[in-house]
Amino acid sequence: MARDTLIFIPTYNEREAVRSICEQVLALSLDADLLFIDDASQDGTAAELDRLAAEHARVRVVHRVTRSGVGSVQLAALHLAYDEGYARLVTLDCQFAYSPRLIPVFLARGETADVVVGSRHLESDSLHDWSLLRRSLSSVGHVLTKHLLGMSQDATISFRLYNLKTVPRALFELVQSKGYAFYFESMLILQRNGYSIAEVPVALPRSTYASAKMSLDEVQRSTSALFSLFYEDQTNPGRFRLDKEAVELDPVLVDPQNWNEYWDAKSAKATAVYDAIATVYRNAVIKRRLEATLRKEFPAGARLLHAGCGSGQVDAGLHQHAKITAIDISPSALTIYRRHNPQAEAVRHASIFQLPFSNGTFDGAYNLGVVEHFEHDELIRAFNELGRVLKPRGKLVVFWPHAHATSVAVLKSARFVLNDVMHKNVQFHPPEVSLIHSRKEAAELLGEGGFELTSYDFGAKDFFVQSVVVATRR
């Protein structure tokens, strides 16, 4: 039967240190097991660890055949701890960067926190004995993680305690970094999912910095990873959030346009550049314009339906203003939407042609990148169904790509190069068969669907891409 606490120390060429740190941890007389994972040491560390395991019943060793990186080793320890039912995992390094005597303090703080981390920045003299280079690296790392990722904690430190009863295993499956970037990526994910993080001040003794193993190459890789995380956090924040509640799926729904394939293929290399540009444009331009339009057209607290929500990145700033229910026919899109929008009032698997809501449920509805994919008869069906679930005089806001939009010309050129010249057979999205041409055309189509056009705006505000159409239910 597994004990309550597992203490984990990774090793790589630590033969001179492992016995000493093992004895210091065991001298604390804690009700805990001690795990070493050796990352393919070449200096005899593995043999010394085996001797320690033979001498002490509560010491165990895992050997790796090839070196895989400190992040990979940390994840391996976490998985082992979850597999064997431990309630808490304490992690520290083998270089005596932090005194094992602080472990009881971590355990005490862990009684009321999901995670406990050491901090070299809580006390002014914590870095006093460090070399100028190490102080500079630590300080710059702290400033970058604080201001780029919004983390006030010491996000690069290895001295931690995880409460495995409150932090789910699935959370660590979101961590992609295998090197030192594991520390700040895992901290970012913990923070973004709302787990409580307590801090314990630690100071580094003078003797430890000489044995530090973070090479210049690793510093460069970690810096690159930090800026990559910043970009992802700005453009795709749902990547760091755990699905806490699955969307209930309607088994009878059929998606004739196969939007699931579109959302599942978002990581394809052929469309990576397009996706990156589209994401930046969506967040920098479309998101702001949508927020301004909805705040203008609907009062605070309005109940709105996002009909065809997709990934929902544009909705992130709207939940404080309106109560948003999102629907989409693609389960994959809904999964992404929920990660981006945990505050949404409801997320439903549904078709825009047959909405699972009573008449007059919503004050308004809106969508972006939806109507241009429908033929004429489908458009009229969709507008009529949206009108059914709106209250009398409820409004519909549609971001409708224009037939002569700058984006249409760019995508035509990109498709020509990729498909006709390079023969890649790339499809950025399902066909756009109903691009809008004019205010008159919009008024006629909406009129057939039971709406009266109230405003139509196409121009330089979004670089001549979308016609922003507002209509009122008759």
Side-chain angles (χ1 to χ4, degrees):
M1 180 177 179
R3 295 180 174 92
D4 184 67
T5 301
L6 178 65
I7 299 170
F8 161 63
I9 301 174
T11 60
Y12 177 70
N13 291 344
E14 317 273 6
R15 182 174 58 86
E16 300 298 327
V18 289
R19 179 168 293 276
S20 179
I21 199 165
C22 176
E23 291 174 349
Q24 287 195 30
V25 171
L26 294 178
L28 297 172
S29 299
L30 299 171
D31 184 18
D33 294 331
L34 178 56
L35 168 69
F36 291 94
I37 298 183
D38 184 64
D39 201 22
S41 293
Q42 301 173 352
D43 69 338
T45 298
E48 183 65 13
L49 288 173
D50 286 337
R51 285 190 286 270
L52 289 169
E55 296 169 15
H56 303 284
R58 304 197 70 167
V59 174
R60 59 189 296 190
V61 180
V62 174
H63 296 287
R64 291 199 149 191
V65 178
T66 57
R67 193 177 186 192
S68 55
V70 66
S72 175
V73 173
Q74 293 284 330
L75 289 168
L78 281 158
H79 290 315
L80 184 150
Y82 279 113
D83 285 342
E84 301 194 5
Y86 286 95
R88 298 177 293 188
L89 175 69
V90 177
T91 69
L92 65 159
D93 66 28
C94 196
Q95 302 165 32
F96 289 98
Y98 325 106
S99 172
R101 290 192 296 272
L102 286 173
I103 293 175
V105 179
F106 276 64
L107 294 172
R109 293 298 304 275
E111 295 295 329
T112 56
D114 299 313
V115 180
V116 182
V117 298
S119 177
R120 296 158 290 191
H121 308 287
L122 288 177
E123 297 180 349
S124 60
D125 61 346
S126 294
L127 308 181
H128 178 71
D129 287 337
W130 282 30
S131 69
L132 178 60
L133 175 61
R134 290 299 307 281
R135 285 203 306 271
S136 300
L137 285 174
S138 178
S139 298
V140 170
H142 183 58
V143 168
L144 289 176
T145 55
K146 181 177 181 179
H147 292 285
L148 291 180
L149 302 180
M151 297 187 293
S152 61
Q153 299 88 0
D154 191 343
T156 61
I157 199 166
S158 62
F159 202 175
R160 298 181 177 185
L161 176 145
Y162 302 100
N163 186 333
L164 306 183
K165 297 301 182 184
T166 60
V167 179
R169 178 183 194 142
L171 194 82
F172 295 101
E173 294 174 1
L174 299 176
V175 179
Q176 298 178 358
S177 302
K178 304 304 180 185
Y180 279 92
F182 163 86
Y183 293 117
F184 49 82
E185 183 182 359
S186 60
M187 185 65 69
L188 175 66
I189 290 170
L190 286 160
Q191 186 194 71
R192 293 298 187 267
N193 285 275
Y195 290 96
S196 60
I197 303 171
E199 294 181 273
V200 173
V202 298
L204 187 91
R206 180 186 299 272
S207 60
T208 62
Y209 59 76
S211 60
K213 292 184 172 57
M214 192 170 186
S215 65
L216 180 59
D217 285 344
E218 188 63 51
V219 171
Q220 293 173 335
R221 284 194 294 269
S222 296
T223 303
S224 175
L226 177 60
F227 282 97
S228 294
L229 289 172
F230 169 71
Y231 172 77
E232 283 191 278
D233 192 39
Q234 297 300 307
T235 60
N236 184 26
R239 208 279 274 174
F240 304 106
R241 295 196 182 106
L242 189 65
D243 294 326
K244 295 185 178 179
E245 181 181 349
V247 177
E248 184 178 350
L249 302 182
D250 184 345
V252 303
L253 272 185
V254 177
D255 176 11
Q257 294 182 328
N258 197 16
W259 279 97
N260 245 19
E261 180 178 325
Y262 167 78
W263 291 110
D264 290 342
K266 292 297 282 182
S267 61
K269 291 183 179 180
T271 62
V273 174
Y274 163 77
D275 290 335
I277 294 172
T279 297
V280 172
Y281 173 76
R282 187 184 304 117
N283 283 280
V285 180
I286 296 300
K287 183 174 182 288
R288 294 181 181 181
R289 198 170 187 204
L290 176 68
E291 290 177 356
T293 302
L294 295 187
R295 290 176 187 275
K296 175 184 175 183
E297 300 294 340
F298 301 103
R303 293 195 67 193
L304 303 182
L305 174 67
H306 190 165
C309 62
S311 66
Q313 291 176 327
V314 294
D315 281 2
L318 290 169
H319 300 285
Q320 291 181 344
H321 178 74
K323 298 176 181 178
I324 297 175
T325 295
I327 68 105
D328 204 286
I329 200 167
S330 165
S332 296
L334 293 172
T335 297
I336 301 170
Y337 184 93
R338 184 175 285 284
R339 288 180 182 172
H340 286 155
N341 300 274
Q343 314 98 314
E345 186 169 76
V347 180
R348 299 285 298 272
H349 183 217
S351 167
I352 199 171
F353 303 118
Q354 190 173 1
L355 297 168
F357 309 108
S358 302
N359 296 351
T361 298
F362 299 99
D363 298 299
Y366 65 98
N367 57 41
L368 311 85
V370 174
V371 296
E372 66 270 23
H373 300 290
F374 296 142
E375 300 285 355
H376 177 273
D377 290 345
E378 294 174 320
L379 275 176
I380 307 310
R381 284 175 57 203
F383 290 150
N384 275 307
E385 181 64 358
L386 287 167
R388 179 186 68 79
V389 300
L390 295 187
K391 296 176 182 178
R393 307 301 294 172
K395 293 181 179 180
L396 173 65
V397 175
V398 178
F399 277 52
W400 202 331
H402 198 277
H404 301 297
T406 52
S407 61
V408 173
V410 170
L411 288 177
K412 282 183 179 178
S413 299
R415 279 192 290 267
F416 173 77
V417 172
L418 289 170
N419 297 334
D420 296 344
V421 177
M422 301 177 66
H423 306 292
K424 294 288 187 180
N425 192 28
V426 173
Q427 182 174 326
F428 294 110
H429 45 60
E432 296 177 327
V433 295
S434 293
L435 298 170
I436 199 68
H437 293 79
S438 66
R439 178 189 181 97
K440 180 182 178 182
E441 182 185 22
E444 291 174 351
L445 290 169
L446 287 161
E448 290 184 64
F451 284 89
E452 179 182 350
L453 181 68
T454 57
S455 71
Y456 176 94
D457 185 17
F458 173 63
K461 292 179 182 178
D462 64 352
F463 306 103
F464 296 94
V465 174
Q466 303 276 352
S467 297
V468 179
V469 178
V470 181
T472 303
R473 178 191 167 191
R474 288 174 178 166

